Every structure is written in structure tokens, then in C-alpha cells.
Amino acid sequence: MRRRPQDDPIVMAFSNPEAVARYAEGPTRLVPGFLDLQRMAGLLLAERCGDDARVLVLGAGGGLELKRFAQMRPGWTFDGVDPSAEMLKLAVQTLGPLHTRARLREGYIEDAPEGPFDAAACLLTFHFMPKDDRARALAEIHRRLKPGAPLVVAHHSLPQGDRDRARWLSRFAAFATASGMPQSQAESAGQAIGGRLPILSPEEDEALLAQVGFVDIDLFYAAFTFRGWVARKADAT
């Protein structure tokens, strides 16, 4: 049974007004090279998209990648989906005048338009989803894409051995501390990520992309606990 937004603890966390107000500060402090990650994602999508592409963005709340993509490609339009109404309100604020090029919808990937889309992106979202939910979401994205269309994803992805996980989460906390977060808070954040999020290994992440039909799966981003891949739907036969 599909989880409803009001039953989703992640949605509830991102519905807190204080958390939403601080959201934009988080990625730039906690995700190494966050602004360059967005730029790279836009460039990778553009490799296979025309100037008038229609792009699906899963986890569009906050609007950070929507704004960056819209600035990079003035002719692109976007369909953004996110289960948090408050985060979608923030996306509208973040986009400002650019919001007229984005259709935002509260819900999950099953609630997205059928497309077909020229490209899709999902940044810093899949690490919140258990493996089975992630596989279903990837399959739904794949189904909505045109043949040959690219997908860019990036999220926490860690080796699953206890020692390896602990080492990389410690490095995540060190980066957060170096970015200005109090050390105790950074260490607590690292422990919470390791203990609460259903993080997969890089090998499992790549296998899921292949399992639902994506091809040409390439790692383009690796930064401490984060990984990013670009892939595409196979061409029509």
C-alpha cells in the first residue's frame, strides 16, 4: 500500500515551518560541491535534451535544482513532485519569476503526469526511500521518459560494512563541522543518517537503475557519503 503524505515521517519533518525555513542552508553546508552538483546535473541532462525540453523532477520541494536548471536552460519547462506542501510553497518562493515554467504537484511519483518527458532528475531524495520503494519510483520515472531520455540521481550511498560506514559518516561529520556546524550537532547528524536512513551501497544503487531498464549508467559525482549517476532509458527498438 502506498504511504500517504500524512503518514510519512520524512514528510512530517519537512512540514515543520522552522525546518522548511532553514532548508536552503543545509545542502550547501552538508553536501560537498552542492552548487557544482546542480550545474553538472543540468549539463548532463542537456546532453540529450533540446532547448524546449520538458523535465520531470522528483523531490522538487525547496526548488533549488529547479531554479538552477531553469537559469541554465531558458526554454525548459518542469513538472515537480514532492509530498510536502510546505516544501512546494518554498519552491515557489525560491523560483520567484521562474515559477511560471514549473508545474508543481503534491504527492509521490505515481501522482506525476504521465509525460512522456525529455529528462528527469532526483537529487538528495532517494536516500529517504527503502529499497523496494526506490525501485518502484525508478520504474515509474523510467515509464514516463521518452526513449533515450536521461536521468540524473544523487544521494547518500555508502559501503555497507560497519567499519566502512562508520569511517565515511565520520568524514561527513567532519565536513559539516568545517562548514560551520557545531561539532556535536554534526556528529549527531552523521549518526542519525547512518541509523535512520535506508542508505544503499553504490553497487546496489547501480543495480536498481539497471533492474528497471536504465542503460549507460555512469558515476559522475562522488563526495564523501554522496554519489551521483547519470543514465538513460534505452532507445526504442
Side-chain angles (χ1 to χ4, degrees), residues 10 58-59 108-109 122 125-135 137-138 197-200:
I10 301 300
L58 178 61
Y108 296 91
I109 185 60
C122 184
T125 296
F126 275 133
H127 50 230
F128 293 117
M129 297 184 189
K131 185 175 182 178
D132 288 347
D133 290 349
R134 200 179 304 195
L138 284 169
L197 297 186
I199 298 173
L200 303 183

Side-chain angles (χ1 to χ4, degrees), residues 7-234:
D7 297 328
D8 190 331
I10 301 300
V11 176
M12 298 305 295
F14 282 107
S15 297
N16 180 296
E18 292 184 3
V20 172
R22 297 193 305 268
Y23 171 75
E25 304 172 6
T28 54
R29 296 174 70 185
L30 301 179
V31 183
F34 175 66
L35 297 179
D36 288 325
L37 168 61
Q38 292 181 319
R39 184 178 300 114
M40 287 188 288
L43 291 171
L44 290 167
L45 296 180
E47 285 182 345
R48 290 183 166 271
C49 290
D51 293 335
D52 59 349
R54 184 184 179 193
V55 180
L56 173 64
V57 178
L58 178 61
L64 297 177
E65 65 266 47
L66 284 171
K67 183 176 182 180
R68 178 55 63 92
F69 295 162
Q71 290 172 332
M72 292 176 68
R73 297 287 168 172
W76 286 6
T77 58
F78 306 90
D79 285 87
V81 183
D82 196 283
S84 169
E86 292 300 317
M87 288 293 286
L88 288 174
K89 292 178 184 177
L90 177 60
V92 173
Q93 296 175 20
T94 300
L95 285 166
L98 298 172
H99 83 274
T100 57
R101 291 164 51 199
R103 294 170 290 271
L104 303 178
R105 185 172 303 203
E106 182 182 352
Y108 296 91
I109 185 60
E110 296 86 353
D111 302 303
E114 288 295 308
F117 291 93
D118 298 289
C122 184
L123 304 184
L124 307 182
T125 296
F126 275 133
H127 50 230
F128 293 117
M129 297 184 189
K131 185 175 182 178
D132 288 347
D133 290 349
R134 200 179 304 195
R136 283 192 292 270
L138 284 169
E140 290 290 334
I141 293 172
H142 184 272
R143 185 172 66 81
R144 287 168 167 79
L145 290 175
K146 294 178 180 179
L151 166 69
V152 170
V153 298
H155 44 264
H156 286 295
S157 185
L158 285 170
Q160 294 303 296
D162 290 343
R163 185 173 298 178
D164 289 337
R165 283 173 63 90
R167 182 168 68 251
W168 282 108
L169 289 168
S170 175
R171 290 167 175 167
F172 167 88
F175 181 84
T177 301
S179 299
M181 180 178 285
Q183 183 175 353
S184 59
Q185 185 178 344
E187 291 174 351
S188 295
Q191 292 170 3
I193 288 168
R196 299 177 188 174
L197 297 186
I199 298 173
L200 303 183
S201 71
E203 294 79 11
E204 289 174 307
D205 274 310
E206 291 189 14
L208 279 186
L209 287 164
Q211 174 185 310
V212 303
F214 285 102
V215 298
D216 294 342
I217 301 164
D218 291 323
L219 180 74
F220 76 92
Y221 169 78
F224 282 6
T225 61
F226 296 93
R227 299 288 187 277
W229 290 268
V230 59
R232 67 177 179 89
K233 184 172 182 175

